[in-house]
């Protein structure tokens, strides 16, 4: 019995383990799916398909959000990139919601990547500048610096990250009109670059950063009224440090502010030619605003009207091209998003159907196991009950044989040696053993029995009590009735109610008296007596 119970428990445990394993697999699937969405987003982002990139960054962010602790870096990076794209297309509120949620999780969380926290804070500062919240932007910039300063895990990249923070915080102060603060943060950036130069072999990157710092210093000095110092700072910058379109634009910005429009136009031309060599076919409105419009203004202020008119025609053509490209790109991206969504819905439906099938199968197995256990338990119980009733029946038969032998011995004795009680009791037994079966009369009692014997009812009571170890008249009569009922149960197919009436019992009392005397119900007795 115990072995079977252990087997049932084992099956239940295996079913639970299967369910847990399935749950774990589901979590792993979600994590791998989130990573796949993140990789897709990066690919589309690099391909300038921003709507699709935003779609997958959102999916990746929500996927990693199921268990952020499993991969804090990709979770926060996906959220940062999603917030960036939302901000770039004008959804400032949506971007702030994502940033605020992530920064809330960063509070007191040692596992939260400090570099990603700094990037999120910097994006928040940029949004605050756009909303003209200048004081808040400067305070947020200070938090950026503190986040990077606390990042002890960044190793030899720490000084470069500090320089990045300082130059961006300098831009925040400059945009908010705090030239003095902007200069102070540029000085910190320069100090950080000096320290980084001692620890890094990438001198080309250091040189480029020094160029950015010097160009910004030139512009800030000019705006603060130190034109000569600004000119000297700009002139001292080696042209080898002016790399990439960002450096070209900073140089052009300084020259425009200094009124050196011809030189500024040359830098803007260099910016445009650099982009044309890489993505000239993709003329967007952002490219027009950042590449063509500033060059047009430089031509006009330099008095190069002919060049300005030619560029104006190019701007008109670029606008038409941008409109066509934008429509085609939007349509293509929306089509990809729609197709992806349809595939995801189909995949989710298939997964849901599989989960339902697994659940139904597991439920069916458990029900079958439960039914099997209950069936086995019922059979075991019935078997045990049958064995117990057989033992009871043997005891009852043995007791009845002993009582019958006592009566037979009493009947065999000469009447002159019997007491008055024994003589009356022997007459009672003869009356009870007659073929008339007077005990089946439900009205038979002490008084009726005394009348049949022609004696006093008190003598009848005393005789039965003396010869049966103190039994009452009713108990004595019920013993005969029970023996007769037991014989009918074992030898006939009459209903128990009929047998109760034939034996001299009322319907209400028979089951109680029989169960108390025999230790089992009449139906159980019939079952065991026939086997």
């Amino acid at each position: 019995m115990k072995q079977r119970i252990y087997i049932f428990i084992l099956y239940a445990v295996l079913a639970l383990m299967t369910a847990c394993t399935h749950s774990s697999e589901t979590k792993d699937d979600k994590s791998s799916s989130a990573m796949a969405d993140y990789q897709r987003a990066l690919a589309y982002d690099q391909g300038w398909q921003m709507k699709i990139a935003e779609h997958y960054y959102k999916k990746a962010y929500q996927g990693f959000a199921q268990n952020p602790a499993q991969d804090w870096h990709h979770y926060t990076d996906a959220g940062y990139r999603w917030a960036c794209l939302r901000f770039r297309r004008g959804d400032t509120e949506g971007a702030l919601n994502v940033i605020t949620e992530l920064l809330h999780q960063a509070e007191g969380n040692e596992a939260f990547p400090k570099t990603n926290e700094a990037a999120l804070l910097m994006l928040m500062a940029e949004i605050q500048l756009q909303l003209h919240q200048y004081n808040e932007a400067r305070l947020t910039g200070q938090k950026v610096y503190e986040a990077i300063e606390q990042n002890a895990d960044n190793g030899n990249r720490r000084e470069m990250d500090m320089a990045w923070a300082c130059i961006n915080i300098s831009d925040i102060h400059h945009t908010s009109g705090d030239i003095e603060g902007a200069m102070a943060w540029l000085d910190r950036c320069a100090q950080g670059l000096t320290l980084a130069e001692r620890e890094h072999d990438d001198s080309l990157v250091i040189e480029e950063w020094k160029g950015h710092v010097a160009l910004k210093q030139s512009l800030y000095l000019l705006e603060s009224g130190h034109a000569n110092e600004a000119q000297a700072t700009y002139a001292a910058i080696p042209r080898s440090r002016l790399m990439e379109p960002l450096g070209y634009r900073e140089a052009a910005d300084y020259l425009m502010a200094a009124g050196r429009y011809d030189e500024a136009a040359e830098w803007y031309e260099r910016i445009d030619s650099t982009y044309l060599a890489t993505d000239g076919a993709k003329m967007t409105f952002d490219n027009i605003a950042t590449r063509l419009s500033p060059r047009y203004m430089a031509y006009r202020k330099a008095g190069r009207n002919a060049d300005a008119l030619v560029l104006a025609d190019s701007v008109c053509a670029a606008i038409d091209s941008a409109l066509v490209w934008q429509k085609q790109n939007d349509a293509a991206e929306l089509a990809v998003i729609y197709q992806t969504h349809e595939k995801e819905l189909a995949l989710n439906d298939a997964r849901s159907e599989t989960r339902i099938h697994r659940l139904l199968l597991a439920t069916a197995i458990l029900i079958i196991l439960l039914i099997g256990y209950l069936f086995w338990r019922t059979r075991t119980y019935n078997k045990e009950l049958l064995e117990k009733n057989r033992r009871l029946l043997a005891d009852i038969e043995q007791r009845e044989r002993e009582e019958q032998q006592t009566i037979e011995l009493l009947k065999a004795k000469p009447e002159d040696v019997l007491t008055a009680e024994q003589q009356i009791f022997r007459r009672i037994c003869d009356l009870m053993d007659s073929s008339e079966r007077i005990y089946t009369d439900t009205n038979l009692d002490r008084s009726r029995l005394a009348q049949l014997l022609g004696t006093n009812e008190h003598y009848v009571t005393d005789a039965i009590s003396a010869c049966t170890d103190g039994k009452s008249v009713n108990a004595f009569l019920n013993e005969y009735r029970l023996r007769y009922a037991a014989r009918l149960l074992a030898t006939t197919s009459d209903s128990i109610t009929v047998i109760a009436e034939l034996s001299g019992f009322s319907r209400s009392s028979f089951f109680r008296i029989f169960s108390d005397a025999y230790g089992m119900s009449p139906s159980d007795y019939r079952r065991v007596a026939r086997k």
Side-chain angles (χ1 to χ4, degrees):
M1 177 180 175
K2 289 184 178 180
Q3 184 177 6
R4 293 181 179 178
I5 293 175
Y6 292 153
I7 292 173
F8 175 77
I9 294 173
L10 178 61
Y11 275 123
V13 170
L14 287 174
L16 289 174
M17 289 177 63
T18 302
C20 293
T21 303
H22 174 63
S23 176
S24 176
E25 288 174 354
T26 303
K27 290 181 179 180
D28 292 341
D29 289 343
K30 288 182 179 179
S31 177
S32 60
S33 176
M35 180 58 72
D37 289 331
Y38 178 80
Q39 297 295 340
R40 289 191 190 97
L42 288 177
Y44 283 116
D45 195 350
Q46 293 170 358
W48 291 91
Q49 293 178 287
M50 299 308 176
K51 285 186 175 62
I52 306 178
E54 182 182 342
H55 172 75
Y56 279 110
Y57 279 136
K58 176 183 177 181
K59 284 195 62 183
Y61 173 72
Q62 293 173 341
F64 286 123
Q66 301 295 322
N67 186 13
Q70 190 171 353
D71 194 339
W72 277 110
H73 171 70
H74 287 103
Y75 166 59
T76 54
D77 192 58
Y80 166 74
R81 292 172 184 272
W82 180 33
C84 281
L85 291 179
R86 296 181 76 170
F87 175 54
R88 298 293 179 258
R89 65 174 173 81
D91 184 10
T92 304
E93 183 179 358
L96 277 174
N97 288 338
V98 177
I99 296 169
T100 303
E101 179 181 349
L102 286 169
L103 291 178
H104 178 71
Q105 296 189 50
E107 296 177 1
N109 187 350
E110 296 296 331
F112 200 98
K114 289 297 180 182
T115 303
N116 293 6
E117 181 182 354
L120 288 164
L121 288 167
M122 190 61 73
L123 181 58
M124 176 173 278
E126 186 178 349
I127 294 173
Q128 290 168 338
L129 286 177
Q130 188 183 74
L131 298 175
H132 304 290
Q133 299 173 347
Y134 299 124
N135 290 332
E136 291 84 349
R138 288 194 289 268
L139 290 174
T140 303
Q142 180 65 38
K143 291 179 181 178
V144 173
Y145 183 81
E146 292 170 357
I148 294 179
E149 194 174 30
Q150 295 170 6
N151 187 17
D153 298 331
N154 207 17
N156 59 4
R157 284 288 308 171
R158 186 169 179 273
E159 299 301 334
M160 289 298 296
D161 287 344
M162 295 288 284
W164 168 83
C166 290
I167 200 167
N168 281 281
I169 297 170
S170 174
D171 288 339
I172 293 172
H173 283 263
H174 176 248
T175 305
S176 63
D178 181 14
I179 301 298
E180 184 177 348
M183 289 293 292
W185 281 103
L186 269 184
D187 290 340
R188 286 192 184 185
C189 180
Q191 294 170 7
L193 290 175
T194 302
L195 293 174
E197 194 171 16
R198 300 172 186 170
E199 301 176 3
H200 290 270
D201 297 330
D202 197 349
S203 59
L204 189 62
V205 174
I206 302 294
E207 287 298 308
E208 182 181 354
W209 276 71
K210 287 182 177 180
H212 292 312
V213 171
L215 287 169
K216 289 181 181 295
Q217 286 177 336
S218 302
L219 181 61
Y220 297 169
L221 286 169
L222 182 63
E223 291 179 351
S224 61
H226 301 84
N228 291 333
E229 291 182 47
Q231 168 58 29
T233 302
Y234 178 77
I237 301 173
R239 288 300 177 262
S240 60
R241 289 184 180 177
L242 303 183
M243 296 176 282
E244 302 297 330
L246 179 60
Y248 303 161
R249 181 171 287 107
E250 290 172 344
D253 290 343
Y254 165 75
L255 292 169
M256 286 290 288
R260 298 161 61 175
Y261 303 119
D262 277 321
E263 295 177 68
E266 292 177 4
W267 283 110
Y268 284 131
E269 289 170 356
R270 185 174 297 184
I271 293 171
D272 199 34
S273 62
T274 301
Y275 277 115
L276 285 172
T278 55
D279 65 347
K282 296 179 179 179
M283 181 55 67
T284 65
F285 293 107
D286 287 339
N287 289 340
I288 294 170
T290 57
R291 286 162 44 183
L292 301 184
S293 295
R295 181 151 64 101
Y296 174 78
M297 293 301 300
Y299 284 155
R300 288 291 305 275
K301 291 189 176 185
R304 297 165 58 178
N305 294 328
D307 292 333
L309 288 173
V310 172
L311 185 58
D313 292 338
S314 299
V315 170
C316 292
I319 291 173
D320 292 337
S321 175
L323 284 170
V324 172
W325 182 84
Q326 191 71 43
K327 289 179 180 179
Q328 292 175 344
N329 188 63
D330 289 347
E333 291 190 27
L334 289 173
V336 171
I337 293 173
Y338 175 76
Q339 292 172 1
T340 302
H341 183 64
E342 289 295 313
K343 290 179 181 178
E344 289 170 355
L345 287 177
L347 182 59
N348 288 334
D349 289 342
R351 287 176 177 172
S352 298
E353 187 175 351
T354 302
R355 283 195 293 269
I356 291 172
H357 288 164
R358 287 181 178 177
L359 179 61
L360 290 175
L361 179 60
T363 304
I365 292 173
L366 288 176
I367 291 174
I368 291 171
L369 289 173
L370 180 60
I371 292 173
Y373 171 75
L374 293 176
F375 178 74
W376 164 78
R377 190 69 187 89
T378 302
R379 287 195 60 184
T380 303
Y381 173 77
N382 290 337
K383 184 178 179 181
E384 293 173 351
L385 182 62
L386 181 62
E387 292 298 326
K388 184 193 76 170
N389 290 339
R390 282 176 176 171
R391 290 193 297 271
L392 287 174
L393 180 60
D395 293 341
I396 292 168
E397 291 175 345
Q398 177 65 27
R399 185 174 68 247
E400 289 179 349
R401 283 194 296 270
E402 292 174 354
E403 291 175 354
Q404 189 63 31
Q405 288 175 359
T406 302
I407 294 172
E408 293 296 331
L409 289 174
L410 182 63
K411 288 181 178 181
K413 289 182 179 181
E415 187 172 352
D416 57 350
V417 300
L418 298 177
T419 64
E421 287 86 357
Q422 288 176 335
Q423 291 178 11
I424 293 174
F425 181 73
R426 188 164 70 176
R427 291 175 59 195
I428 294 172
C429 291
D430 291 337
L431 186 62
M432 299 299 288
D433 292 335
S434 67
S435 60
E436 296 179 1
R437 299 190 186 95
I438 63 170
Y439 50 80
T440 60
D441 183 1
T442 55
N443 295 320
L444 183 66
D445 57 7
R446 181 181 65 173
S447 176
R448 175 63 178 158
L449 192 59
Q451 290 178 3
L452 292 173
L453 294 173
T455 187
N456 186 283
E457 59 186 55
H458 293 290
Y459 293 152
V460 171
T461 302
D462 293 342
I464 291 175
S465 176
C467 297
T468 59
D469 296 330
K471 290 181 182 178
S472 67
V473 174
N474 284 336
F476 176 76
L477 294 175
N478 283 340
E479 283 185 352
Y480 276 88
R481 290 168 179 162
L482 287 171
R483 280 196 290 270
Y484 182 63
R487 188 159 63 250
L488 292 178
L489 286 170
T491 59
T492 70
S493 58
D494 295 338
S495 68
I496 295 176
T497 302
V498 171
I499 291 175
E501 293 177 351
L502 292 175
S503 304
F505 289 105
S506 65
R507 295 182 182 182
S508 59
S509 62
F510 176 64
F511 288 90
R512 175 179 56 79
I513 295 173
F514 192 96
S515 297
D516 290 344
Y518 285 2
M520 68 185 85
S521 68
S523 58
D524 287 340
Y525 181 89
R526 168 173 275 176
R527 188 179 301 112
V528 72
R530 290 185 175 184
K531 291 187 177 180

PDB file of all heavy atoms in Angstrom, residues 474-490:
ATOM      1  N   ASN A 474     -35.858  -8.424  26.530  1.00  0.00           N
ATOM      2  CA  ASN A 474     -35.783  -7.899  25.158  1.00  0.00           C
ATOM      3  C   ASN A 474     -34.478  -8.304  24.483  1.00  0.00           C
ATOM      4  O   ASN A 474     -34.472  -8.673  23.296  1.00  0.00           O
ATOM      5  CB  ASN A 474     -35.913  -6.373  25.163  1.00  0.00           C
ATOM      6  CG  ASN A 474     -37.354  -5.931  25.383  1.00  0.00           C
ATOM      7  OD1 ASN A 474     -38.293  -6.691  25.085  1.00  0.00           O
ATOM      8  ND2 ASN A 474     -37.531  -4.727  25.901  1.00  0.00           N
ATOM      9  N   ALA A 475     -33.361  -8.248  25.222  1.00  0.00           N
ATOM     10  CA  ALA A 475     -32.067  -8.630  24.636  1.00  0.00           C
ATOM     11  C   ALA A 475     -32.086 -10.117  24.271  1.00  0.00           C
ATOM     12  O   ALA A 475     -31.564 -10.516  23.214  1.00  0.00           O
ATOM     13  CB  ALA A 475     -30.946  -8.330  25.611  1.00  0.00           C
ATOM     14  N   PHE A 476     -32.682 -10.943  25.141  1.00  0.00           N
ATOM     15  CA  PHE A 476     -32.768 -12.374  24.860  1.00  0.00           C
ATOM     16  C   PHE A 476     -33.606 -12.639  23.611  1.00  0.00           C
ATOM     17  O   PHE A 476     -33.224 -13.435  22.743  1.00  0.00           O
ATOM     18  CB  PHE A 476     -33.363 -13.077  26.085  1.00  0.00           C
ATOM     19  CG  PHE A 476     -33.584 -14.537  25.896  1.00  0.00           C
ATOM     20  CD1 PHE A 476     -32.521 -15.422  25.928  1.00  0.00           C
ATOM     21  CD2 PHE A 476     -34.874 -15.039  25.664  1.00  0.00           C
ATOM     22  CE1 PHE A 476     -32.736 -16.789  25.735  1.00  0.00           C
ATOM     23  CE2 PHE A 476     -35.091 -16.395  25.475  1.00  0.00           C
ATOM     24  CZ  PHE A 476     -34.027 -17.267  25.510  1.00  0.00           C
ATOM     25  N   LEU A 477     -34.756 -11.991  23.514  1.00  0.00           N
ATOM     26  CA  LEU A 477     -35.617 -12.169  22.342  1.00  0.00           C
ATOM     27  C   LEU A 477     -34.935 -11.677  21.069  1.00  0.00           C
ATOM     28  O   LEU A 477     -35.029 -12.298  20.001  1.00  0.00           O
ATOM     29  CB  LEU A 477     -36.935 -11.425  22.557  1.00  0.00           C
ATOM     30  CG  LEU A 477     -37.847 -11.959  23.665  1.00  0.00           C
ATOM     31  CD1 LEU A 477     -39.061 -11.056  23.837  1.00  0.00           C
ATOM     32  CD2 LEU A 477     -38.274 -13.394  23.371  1.00  0.00           C
ATOM     33  N   ASN A 478     -34.212 -10.526  21.168  1.00  0.00           N
ATOM     34  CA  ASN A 478     -33.538  -9.960  19.987  1.00  0.00           C
ATOM     35  C   ASN A 478     -32.423 -10.869  19.470  1.00  0.00           C
ATOM     36  O   ASN A 478     -32.116 -10.874  18.279  1.00  0.00           O
ATOM     37  CB  ASN A 478     -32.976  -8.574  20.306  1.00  0.00           C
ATOM     38  CG  ASN A 478     -34.060  -7.513  20.314  1.00  0.00           C
ATOM     39  OD1 ASN A 478     -35.140  -7.717  19.730  1.00  0.00           O
ATOM     40  ND2 ASN A 478     -33.801  -6.389  20.963  1.00  0.00           N
ATOM     41  N   GLU A 479     -31.805 -11.654  20.383  1.00  0.00           N
ATOM     42  CA  GLU A 479     -30.772 -12.576  19.924  1.00  0.00           C
ATOM     43  C   GLU A 479     -31.365 -13.620  18.973  1.00  0.00           C
ATOM     44  O   GLU A 479     -30.782 -13.947  17.941  1.00  0.00           O
ATOM     45  CB  GLU A 479     -30.106 -13.265  21.111  1.00  0.00           C
ATOM     46  CG  GLU A 479     -29.114 -12.380  21.849  1.00  0.00           C
ATOM     47  CD  GLU A 479     -28.381 -13.133  22.934  1.00  0.00           C
ATOM     48  OE1 GLU A 479     -28.764 -14.308  23.207  1.00  0.00           O
ATOM     49  OE2 GLU A 479     -27.412 -12.577  23.505  1.00  0.00           O
ATOM     50  N   TYR A 480     -32.534 -14.156  19.332  1.00  0.00           N
ATOM     51  CA  TYR A 480     -33.194 -15.123  18.450  1.00  0.00           C
ATOM     52  C   TYR A 480     -33.617 -14.456  17.138  1.00  0.00           C
ATOM     53  O   TYR A 480     -33.500 -15.049  16.053  1.00  0.00           O
ATOM     54  CB  TYR A 480     -34.416 -15.731  19.160  1.00  0.00           C
ATOM     55  CG  TYR A 480     -34.066 -16.891  20.053  1.00  0.00           C
ATOM     56  CD1 TYR A 480     -33.698 -16.678  21.386  1.00  0.00           C
ATOM     57  CD2 TYR A 480     -34.079 -18.203  19.578  1.00  0.00           C
ATOM     58  CE1 TYR A 480     -33.357 -17.734  22.208  1.00  0.00           C
ATOM     59  CE2 TYR A 480     -33.741 -19.269  20.402  1.00  0.00           C
ATOM     60  CZ  TYR A 480     -33.374 -19.018  21.707  1.00  0.00           C
ATOM     61  OH  TYR A 480     -33.036 -20.082  22.523  1.00  0.00           O
ATOM     62  N   ARG A 481     -34.160 -13.262  17.268  1.00  0.00           N
ATOM     63  CA  ARG A 481     -34.573 -12.550  16.060  1.00  0.00           C
ATOM     64  C   ARG A 481     -33.371 -12.270  15.146  1.00  0.00           C
ATOM     65  O   ARG A 481     -33.467 -12.400  13.921  1.00  0.00           O
ATOM     66  CB  ARG A 481     -35.242 -11.226  16.452  1.00  0.00           C
ATOM     67  CG  ARG A 481     -36.598 -11.410  17.117  1.00  0.00           C
ATOM     68  CD  ARG A 481     -37.091 -10.126  17.750  1.00  0.00           C
ATOM     69  NE  ARG A 481     -38.409 -10.304  18.360  1.00  0.00           N
ATOM     70  CZ  ARG A 481     -38.927  -9.485  19.269  1.00  0.00           C
ATOM     71  NH1 ARG A 481     -38.201  -8.433  19.709  1.00  0.00           N
ATOM     72  NH2 ARG A 481     -40.135  -9.700  19.756  1.00  0.00           N
ATOM     73  N   LEU A 482     -32.234 -11.860  15.736  1.00  0.00           N
ATOM     74  CA  LEU A 482     -31.049 -11.554  14.939  1.00  0.00           C
ATOM     75  C   LEU A 482     -30.499 -12.800  14.243  1.00  0.00           C
ATOM     76  O   LEU A 482     -30.066 -12.739  13.087  1.00  0.00           O
ATOM     77  CB  LEU A 482     -29.963 -10.925  15.826  1.00  0.00           C
ATOM     78  CG  LEU A 482     -30.218  -9.471  16.269  1.00  0.00           C
ATOM     79  CD1 LEU A 482     -29.197  -9.043  17.312  1.00  0.00           C
ATOM     80  CD2 LEU A 482     -30.171  -8.518  15.072  1.00  0.00           C
ATOM     81  N   ARG A 483     -30.497 -13.949  14.992  1.00  0.00           N
ATOM     82  CA  ARG A 483     -29.996 -15.165  14.372  1.00  0.00           C
ATOM     83  C   ARG A 483     -30.877 -15.566  13.183  1.00  0.00           C
ATOM     84  O   ARG A 483     -30.376 -16.013  12.146  1.00  0.00           O
ATOM     85  CB  ARG A 483     -29.936 -16.290  15.407  1.00  0.00           C
ATOM     86  CG  ARG A 483     -28.727 -16.231  16.312  1.00  0.00           C
ATOM     87  CD  ARG A 483     -28.501 -17.546  17.043  1.00  0.00           C
ATOM     88  NE  ARG A 483     -29.526 -17.805  18.066  1.00  0.00           N
ATOM     89  CZ  ARG A 483     -29.432 -17.419  19.322  1.00  0.00           C
ATOM     90  NH1 ARG A 483     -28.361 -16.755  19.735  1.00  0.00           N
ATOM     91  NH2 ARG A 483     -30.400 -17.717  20.178  1.00  0.00           N
ATOM     92  N   TYR A 484     -32.195 -15.381  13.345  1.00  0.00           N
ATOM     93  CA  TYR A 484     -33.101 -15.709  12.253  1.00  0.00           C
ATOM     94  C   TYR A 484     -32.888 -14.753  11.075  1.00  0.00           C
ATOM     95  O   TYR A 484     -32.838 -15.171   9.915  1.00  0.00           O
ATOM     96  CB  TYR A 484     -34.545 -15.645  12.751  1.00  0.00           C
ATOM     97  CG  TYR A 484     -35.559 -16.024  11.697  1.00  0.00           C
ATOM     98  CD1 TYR A 484     -35.584 -17.307  11.146  1.00  0.00           C
ATOM     99  CD2 TYR A 484     -36.480 -15.096  11.235  1.00  0.00           C
ATOM    100  CE1 TYR A 484     -36.516 -17.659  10.169  1.00  0.00           C
ATOM    101  CE2 TYR A 484     -37.416 -15.430  10.265  1.00  0.00           C
ATOM    102  CZ  TYR A 484     -37.431 -16.714   9.729  1.00  0.00           C
ATOM    103  OH  TYR A 484     -38.349 -17.051   8.760  1.00  0.00           O
ATOM    104  N   ALA A 485     -32.716 -13.457  11.370  1.00  0.00           N
ATOM    105  CA  ALA A 485     -32.472 -12.462  10.313  1.00  0.00           C
ATOM    106  C   ALA A 485     -31.154 -12.752   9.583  1.00  0.00           C
ATOM    107  O   ALA A 485     -31.074 -12.650   8.354  1.00  0.00           O
ATOM    108  CB  ALA A 485     -32.443 -11.049  10.895  1.00  0.00           C
ATOM    109  N   ALA A 486     -30.125 -13.148  10.342  1.00  0.00           N
ATOM    110  CA  ALA A 486     -28.836 -13.460   9.730  1.00  0.00           C
ATOM    111  C   ALA A 486     -28.950 -14.658   8.807  1.00  0.00           C
ATOM    112  O   ALA A 486     -28.345 -14.703   7.726  1.00  0.00           O
ATOM    113  CB  ALA A 486     -27.800 -13.726  10.823  1.00  0.00           C
ATOM    114  N   ARG A 487     -29.772 -15.671   9.232  1.00  0.00           N
ATOM    115  CA  ARG A 487     -29.964 -16.841   8.380  1.00  0.00           C
ATOM    116  C   ARG A 487     -30.686 -16.456   7.084  1.00  0.00           C
ATOM    117  O   ARG A 487     -30.328 -16.938   5.996  1.00  0.00           O
ATOM    118  CB  ARG A 487     -30.747 -17.906   9.158  1.00  0.00           C
ATOM    119  CG  ARG A 487     -30.846 -19.245   8.424  1.00  0.00           C
ATOM    120  CD  ARG A 487     -31.160 -20.379   9.369  1.00  0.00           C
ATOM    121  NE  ARG A 487     -32.461 -20.217  10.008  1.00  0.00           N
ATOM    122  CZ  ARG A 487     -32.613 -19.935  11.311  1.00  0.00           C
ATOM    123  NH1 ARG A 487     -31.552 -19.782  12.084  1.00  0.00           N
ATOM    124  NH2 ARG A 487     -33.821 -19.822  11.842  1.00  0.00           N
ATOM    125  N   LEU A 488     -31.674 -15.582   7.202  1.00  0.00           N
ATOM    126  CA  LEU A 488     -32.389 -15.138   5.999  1.00  0.00           C
ATOM    127  C   LEU A 488     -31.476 -14.317   5.073  1.00  0.00           C
ATOM    128  O   LEU A 488     -31.552 -14.432   3.846  1.00  0.00           O
ATOM    129  CB  LEU A 488     -33.613 -14.299   6.390  1.00  0.00           C
ATOM    130  CG  LEU A 488     -34.750 -15.040   7.104  1.00  0.00           C
ATOM    131  CD1 LEU A 488     -35.861 -14.065   7.481  1.00  0.00           C
ATOM    132  CD2 LEU A 488     -35.298 -16.155   6.214  1.00  0.00           C
ATOM    133  N   LEU A 489     -30.629 -13.501   5.656  1.00  0.00           N
ATOM    134  CA  LEU A 489     -29.699 -12.697   4.848  1.00  0.00           C
ATOM    135  C   LEU A 489     -28.740 -13.597   4.063  1.00  0.00           C
ATOM    136  O   LEU A 489     -28.387 -13.310   2.924  1.00  0.00           O
ATOM    137  CB  LEU A 489     -28.893 -11.754   5.747  1.00  0.00           C
ATOM    138  CG  LEU A 489     -29.648 -10.546   6.316  1.00  0.00           C
ATOM    139  CD1 LEU A 489     -28.810  -9.840   7.376  1.00  0.00           C
ATOM    140  CD2 LEU A 489     -30.004  -9.552   5.202  1.00  0.00           C
ATOM    141  N   ALA A 490     -28.296 -14.673   4.687  1.00  0.00           N
ATOM    142  CA  ALA A 490     -27.317 -15.546   4.046  1.00  0.00           C
ATOM    143  C   ALA A 490     -27.943 -16.488   3.040  1.00  0.00           C
ATOM    144  O   ALA A 490     -27.267 -16.945   2.111  1.00  0.00           O
ATOM    145  CB  ALA A 490     -26.572 -16.348   5.110  1.00  0.00           C
TER     146      ALA A 490
END
